[in-house]
Amino acid sequence: MDVVTQMQRQLIQYTSSLFQEGFLDDQFNQLQQLQDESNPEFVVEVVTLFFEDAERLLNELSKSLQVEQESIDFRKVDAQVHQLKGSSSSIGAQRVQRVCIAFRNFCEQQNVEGCLKSLQEIKQEYSLVKTKLETLFKMEKQLFAARGSISR
Amino acid sequence: MDSHKLTALVVDDDRMVRIIHGKMLNSVGVKNQVVQNGKEAINVHLSGQTFDLILMDLDMPIMNGIEAIKELRSMGICSTIAGVSARSMESHIQEFMEAGLDEYLEKPLNISKLTSFIHKFYVTN
């Protein structure tokens, strides 16, 4: 099997695993379908925006929950989680989105422990999906380069 | 009417959503503009522009979706307006419909929801 075919197969398998393990859902497929020659970096661009938004929101959430328990502004925390839920659902980051839903329930109950636990979970899930997506993009880039060097 | 002749306005405070919904509309041949909140949506209409479709987010700063839709309808704007939101609670959908919108679409949008919406109001012959 030549290198390019092998790389293609690995990319397909890796991408499949991300869906099977629930890291990504159909929204990610939607983004891939929107990518074309006029905008070949569309998926990377949108996912990069997600990384920026998520990191900003996770910082804000940490600050919002670092205060004295009695002074926690649950409405503010909920608004921040709502934004993160929106961003993650836009790119199909399913596991992050699911923790956001649980997090919002804790906000509604004004359950501090639940909120703190959810924040930790979101940070973990975000870190995982970020690593997975960066790996995916790296594999795509390597495949593209390998194809390009063959056609010369 | 062929979707390739339709125009749309995307109103959402989330830049990822503006980019994605704009691209989705482009992919089905609908020329579109994007703005960040209800007030900008009003201003665009005050400048004389109209659109066949408006995708209006519910939660936005400065002027939210419901206020914007009421204002647009009172200005005599007859565009087909879809309220777009991550919320699915019955009461909010009702509030939206009572404000004068034609359809409610749940986020995240996908191509199939978008084309169903367009075909519902603009049947391709």
Side-chain angles (χ1 to χ4, degrees):
Chain A
M1 192 192 297
D2 68 275
V3 162
V4 169
T5 309
Q6 203 172 29
M7 285 171 88
Q8 267 167 350
R9 203 171 268 201
Q10 281 167 352
L11 179 62
I12 291 169
Q13 276 168 0
Y14 190 71
T15 310
S16 272
S17 73
L18 297 185
F19 284 91
Q20 275 157 28
E21 290 162 27
F23 286 104
L24 298 175
D25 67 26
D26 187 61
Q27 260 328 97
F28 190 77
N29 281 327
Q30 294 287 318
L31 296 188
Q32 289 180 315
Q33 280 174 48
L34 291 173
Q35 185 161 287
D36 57 27
E37 310 82 52
S38 70
N39 204 172
E41 295 290 301
F42 180 70
V43 179
V44 172
E45 283 168 13
V46 175
V47 170
T48 305
L49 290 180
F50 165 65
F51 291 159
E52 286 172 15
D53 282 354
E55 277 156 37
R56 175 182 53 84
L57 288 163
L58 288 172
N59 273 333
E60 287 177 16
L61 279 165
S62 298
K63 286 188 189 135
S64 299
L65 291 169
Q66 253 161 31
V67 300
E68 289 288 328
Q69 287 199 6
E70 312 83 59
S71 336
I72 293 178
D73 183 348
F74 286 102
R75 276 180 67 167
K76 187 174 174 192
V77 174
D78 182 70
Q80 287 161 347
V81 179
H82 172 73
Q83 273 188 68
L84 184 56
K85 177 174 165 276
S87 296
S88 57
S89 77
S90 288
I91 66 144
Q94 193 182 61
R95 280 160 65 149
V96 174
Q97 188 192 350
R98 284 199 179 144
V99 184
C100 288
I101 292 170
F103 199 155
R104 292 195 75 193
N105 287 334
F106 287 127
C107 287
E108 208 176 324
Q109 297 158 17
Q110 303 207 355
N111 179 338
V112 177
E113 211 180 298
C115 285
L116 290 169
K117 192 169 151 245
S118 291
L119 179 60
Q120 278 315 110
E121 248 188 274
I122 286 189
K123 284 179 175 174
Q124 272 166 16
E125 288 299 341
Y126 169 68
S127 173
L128 279 170
V129 79
K130 184 175 183 200
T131 306
K132 302 274 179 190
L133 286 167
E134 285 173 338
T135 303
L136 180 69
F137 295 146
K138 196 171 165 194
M139 286 171 82
E140 283 177 346
K141 227 175 172 171
Q142 286 166 345
L143 174 60
F144 190 74
R147 276 188 186 136
S149 67
I150 283 169
S151 59
R152 271 185 223 122
Chain B
M1 188 188 265
D2 179 359
S3 71
H4 287 258
K5 299 194 183 80
L6 295 175
T7 58
L9 180 67
V10 177
V11 191
D12 204 300
D13 63 325
D14 183 329
R15 65 181 171 163
M16 275 174 67
V17 172
R18 289 196 297 273
I19 289 169
I20 295 171
H21 291 183
K23 195 88 169 94
M24 282 184 179
L25 286 163
N26 284 340
S27 77
V28 296
V30 177
K31 277 172 83 165
N32 62 91
Q33 251 185 263
V34 297
V35 292
Q36 295 186 36
N37 57 57
K39 189 144 195 285
E40 289 187 15
I42 307 293
N43 289 340
V44 146
H45 284 87
L46 287 173
S47 75
Q49 287 186 79
T50 55
F51 306 87
D52 298 300
L53 307 165
I54 303 178
L55 297 180
M56 180 79 75
D57 183 27
L58 169 58
D59 294 310
M60 292 180 288
I62 301 166
M63 184 192 273
N64 70 29
I66 290 175
E67 288 166 39
I69 291 167
K70 285 180 177 166
E71 180 71 24
L72 288 171
R73 291 304 190 207
S74 74
M75 283 162 66
I77 301 297
C78 304
S79 312
T80 305
I81 307 181
V84 180
S85 175
R87 298 202 208 178
S88 57
M89 291 181 291
E90 266 305 321
S91 59
H92 289 278
I93 298 172
Q94 184 127 346
E95 205 185 339
F96 240 168
M97 302 305 281
E98 280 167 5
L101 65 68
D102 301 294
E103 185 76 0
Y104 173 81
L105 298 172
E106 221 177 296
K107 272 189 202 178
L109 274 189
N110 54 44
I111 298 279
S112 131
K113 281 181 197 170
L114 191 58
T115 45
S116 297
F117 162 62
I118 293 171
H119 289 160
K120 185 172 172 179
F121 292 94
Y122 295 95
V123 177
T124 24
N125 289 313

